[in-house]
Amino acid sequence: MGVVNRTDEARQLAEDLLADIEMQRLKASEIALKASRLARLVNHEELMEFLRLERDGYSGAGAAANMWIGRAGRWADADDGKFYPMPLAKVEGMLDASREALQTLRGGGNYSGESVVIAAREHDQKVGAHARAIATFSGITGQVVATVYTAVVEIYHELLFSELQATLFGDTQSRVDGALAEASGSALEKIERVSDRLRDADPESVSQALTTCRRLIDSCAEHLFAARPEKYDIGDGVQLAVGSPNVLNRLQAHAHSTGAPKSRRDRLRRTLSDLYERCSAGTHAEVGVAEARFIFLQTYVALGELLTLGEP
């Protein structure tokens, strides 16, 4: 439950943060602080590193920070390695100070006497200096916000996809588990045994898990299409033997009987044939635990699809 709440919190925070940036409701330093919480919630290490540098400054950060210096628009002279290292909050403070000073200078001055030319030139130099400072510091804050925005958009879309994925998997699992329970009273117990054995991760447990997967396929075939002596006609002059040993043929016959399209039936036939063969090989040859886990998951999904064929 805690994981779900953390994910929901992160998604809502990302959505709020995007709105804050798009509607310009927060200063750059405030955006950086809010984004830091999001980065921690989703454990986004790169964003956390970037925001730490922006909060604390880049002094002594080393060459590893050069990428972020560039992304934040902080290079003063990249060829000479000169950049603006101060924290983002200080950049904002200097930006505000330059704006206030420029606003004051725009009022001009009352110059008279011999110093009028010198005073006017100094005034223009101050205006130019503050204008350049504003351009530099506003560029840095803008680049920081843009970098954060790009990362938050990516995080938001990943969270939305995860939510959709969890919903789809949850719905599918409910349907498949229900179908498996109906197919065989012990089917779900078989799945639990497979899970326990794959957690052990020793070769004998893996072999037993694969044997259980094969038996699960056998059990579903028995439930879906009972063995019969006569062959089953699937059209195009093809007749399948559907006796007791013909497990895969009986599953193929069931798929045909539900009216499933040929392309779908062929895909399921190839998938189950490969899985059945691999499960059988696993009892005689070494199969790694990682592969065994994927075999189990693919068996579960393929049987679930077969069991739910013909449903609305």
Side-chain angles (χ1 to χ4, degrees):
M1 189 69 175
V3 174
V4 174
N5 288 340
R6 189 181 183 91
T7 301
D8 288 344
E9 181 184 356
R11 182 176 51 78
Q12 186 60 56
L13 182 58
E15 189 173 349
D16 291 344
L17 192 50
L18 290 177
D20 290 335
I21 295 173
E22 290 164 355
M23 300 175 68
Q24 300 182 344
R25 295 191 297 214
L26 298 176
K27 297 192 300 182
S29 57
E30 294 170 333
I31 288 170
L33 288 174
K34 195 168 184 177
S36 295
R37 174 162 180 75
L38 175 62
R40 287 198 308 275
L41 283 173
V42 300
N43 195 31
H44 196 300
E45 294 184 0
E46 287 190 353
L47 183 57
M48 284 192 286
E49 173 66 11
F50 173 62
L51 294 173
R52 183 189 66 78
L53 290 167
E54 287 298 324
R55 288 194 312 272
D56 301 339
Y58 288 78
S59 296
N66 286 355
M67 178 184 71
W68 296 122
I69 293 172
R71 294 280 291 276
R74 287 176 172 269
W75 286 116
D77 190 333
D79 293 335
D80 290 341
K82 296 179 180 178
F83 60 93
Y84 300 95
M86 67 285 289
L88 182 60
K90 188 169 183 179
V91 171
E92 283 185 330
M94 297 170 72
L95 175 60
D96 291 340
S98 290
R99 282 173 173 164
E100 291 176 5
L102 185 60
Q103 188 65 32
T104 301
L105 289 168
R106 280 176 177 166
N110 296 318
Y111 308 119
S112 59
E114 297 178 356
S115 64
V116 63
V117 175
I118 297 174
R121 184 170 61 247
E122 290 178 349
H123 174 271
D124 292 344
Q125 288 174 345
K126 290 178 181 178
V127 169
H130 286 299
R132 287 191 295 274
I134 291 171
T136 297
F137 297 138
S138 63
I140 292 174
T141 56
Q143 284 291 101
V144 169
V145 170
T147 300
V148 171
Y149 184 82
T150 299
V152 174
V153 166
E154 178 183 334
I155 291 170
Y156 181 63
H157 287 155
E158 288 178 354
L159 291 170
L160 281 181
F161 177 76
S162 296
E163 182 181 16
L164 173 63
Q165 190 179 50
T167 301
L168 289 174
F169 282 147
D171 176 62
T172 301
Q173 183 180 15
S174 298
R175 293 172 60 208
V176 171
D177 284 354
L180 282 171
E182 182 181 349
S184 169
S186 61
L188 295 181
E189 294 177 9
K190 287 186 177 72
I191 290 175
E192 186 175 351
R193 288 200 297 273
V194 171
S195 179
D196 291 340
R197 286 164 178 163
L198 289 179
R199 276 196 293 268
D200 293 339
D202 63 85
E204 180 61 27
S205 295
V206 169
S207 178
Q208 291 175 0
L210 293 175
T211 299
T212 302
C213 279
R214 192 184 67 218
R215 289 173 179 166
L216 185 60
I217 296 174
D218 293 340
S219 175
C220 287
E222 190 64 31
H223 170 75
L224 293 172
F225 199 96
R228 60 182 71 169
E230 65 275 12
K231 292 185 176 181
Y232 182 88
D233 188 354
I234 62 171
D236 297 328
V238 178
Q239 291 191 331
L240 299 176
V242 287
S244 183
N246 308 117
V247 173
L248 297 178
N249 282 357
R250 284 190 281 144
L251 291 174
Q252 189 179 357
H254 164 73
H256 179 271
S257 69
T258 64
K262 185 177 184 303
S263 58
R264 188 178 188 184
R265 300 196 319 263
D266 288 346
R267 174 176 55 80
L268 284 169
R269 175 180 54 78
R270 290 192 300 269
T271 298
L272 285 165
S273 178
D274 289 343
L275 290 170
Y276 202 72
E277 180 181 354
R278 201 67 186 115
C279 288
S280 300
T283 62
H284 306 294
E286 183 178 351
V287 176
V289 65
E291 182 186 1
R293 286 171 178 160
F294 280 109
I295 290 173
F296 164 63
L297 289 173
Q298 290 165 357
T299 301
Y300 176 84
V301 171
L303 288 178
E305 186 174 356
L306 264 176
L307 286 161
T308 53
L309 282 177
E311 287 187 358

